[in-house]
Amino acid sequence: MSNGPDADSFSRTDSAASMDSADAGQPRPLPSAFTEVMAQFRRYLEGERARSGHTVRAYLAGLESLFTFAAREGIETPAQLELGTLRRWLGGQSEAGRSRATLARHTATVRTFTSWALREELIATDPAVRLQAPKRERTLPGVLRQGQLGRIFERLSEAAADGAPLPLRDRAMVELLYATGIRVGELAGLDIDDLDTDRRTLRVLGKGNKERTVPYGLPAATAVDDWLRRGRPKLAAGHSGPALFLGARGGRIDQRQARSVVKELLEGLGDTSATGPHALRHSAATHLLDGGADLRAVQEILGHSSLATTQIYTHVSVERLRASYRQAHPRA
């Protein structure tokens, strides 16, 4: 069964996909067979596949868009879906201006659904076996330069100098994001016991509930220790539990809050197109490879299931090398 694209790409899917212009017209209630199978598919994604909330919502939004289109063609059950129906739906999405990345996500959604439906004997044959989507454009991720990172950490240290809890937390979060390359969702899910301060390693629960251990350096260790000693106790409350990072009201920090912190810092630089916490992940991976780290080691640190996903960072490193060559060599 195909695992589909990375959940990070699904999380960028328009949550209103089912109401997009490709499905223009007055919305109608879906046939009961479709709503029932969507509920079953949700349980499968959340349970057996252990997909994140973002990914589940993206899968279901795409599926609802397909079912809405199919219902307009007179189709009332998943068993009536045919390859032609799927192609016409994707064609409508393309005509509505959907990007190749969005069409690829929709295709992966349908393939995952029909494969599951076939296994559950909800359909007799899999109509998506020969469904093709345009190849996704692979753009090089934004990477921060060392000088830019230095300015970020300098700003964070200055803000945390007076010992206020939120600046201490923000410095520790950003240091840890860059030191380990973990995803922002993984950061938000960390507990205090996930830290091994003696070995300076972090136990991370990644996609599909896969656990990995990631090392971090002295600057991150110092920032996290400062947060635990001087910052966290000022925010901790009865409902804080074991969460490593807390919000202003004492609850576990959520991804939105962490994204907002990083977004503000990057915008403050004024000289980068990098956006969001993933820029720190991209930068960590690229800098590791630039420093001579083994590709397999970087794959393990990032928690990629496929080495092909990690290899995009080698492309970044090569581009940086070429840029340096063109700038420095007299006959470049």
Side-chain angles (χ1 to χ4, degrees), residues 16-76:
S18 63
M19 303 301 291
D20 60 26
S21 57
D23 292 333
Q26 293 297 322
R28 305 173 185 174
L30 287 175
S32 60
F34 284 145
T35 56
E36 291 171 5
V37 80
M38 284 182 67
Q40 295 175 45
F41 189 55
R42 174 190 286 275
R43 290 192 291 271
Y44 161 70
L45 292 173
E46 293 174 338
E48 186 173 331
R49 294 292 291 273
R51 294 304 192 194
S52 69
H54 283 298
T55 302
V56 172
R57 286 190 293 273
Y59 270 114
L60 294 179
L63 201 57
E64 184 178 358
S65 176
L66 168 62
F67 287 167
T68 300
F69 175 85
R72 291 198 179 102
E73 289 201 342
I75 296 172
E76 297 183 348

Side-chain angles (χ1 to χ4, degrees), residues 169-244:
R169 179 204 67 187
D170 294 348
R171 183 181 65 160
M173 288 196 309
V174 177
E175 284 277 12
L176 210 54
L177 283 169
Y178 175 63
T180 62
I182 60 175
R183 304 174 178 92
V184 68
E186 294 169 344
L187 177 90
L190 289 175
D191 291 337
I192 296 174
D193 289 345
D194 291 326
L195 291 168
D196 186 334
T197 55
D198 292 333
R199 294 183 175 86
R200 291 211 300 265
T201 59
L202 192 65
R203 184 174 64 241
V204 181
L205 190 63
K207 294 178 181 178
N209 289 329
K210 293 180 180 178
E211 189 177 286
R212 68 186 189 278
T213 299
V214 183
Y216 57 91
L218 185 57
T222 301
V224 171
D225 179 68
D226 213 15
W227 154 247
L228 289 175
R229 287 188 301 103
R230 299 198 296 151
R232 191 181 185 281
K234 296 177 182 178
L235 297 180
H239 61 284
S240 299
L244 177 58

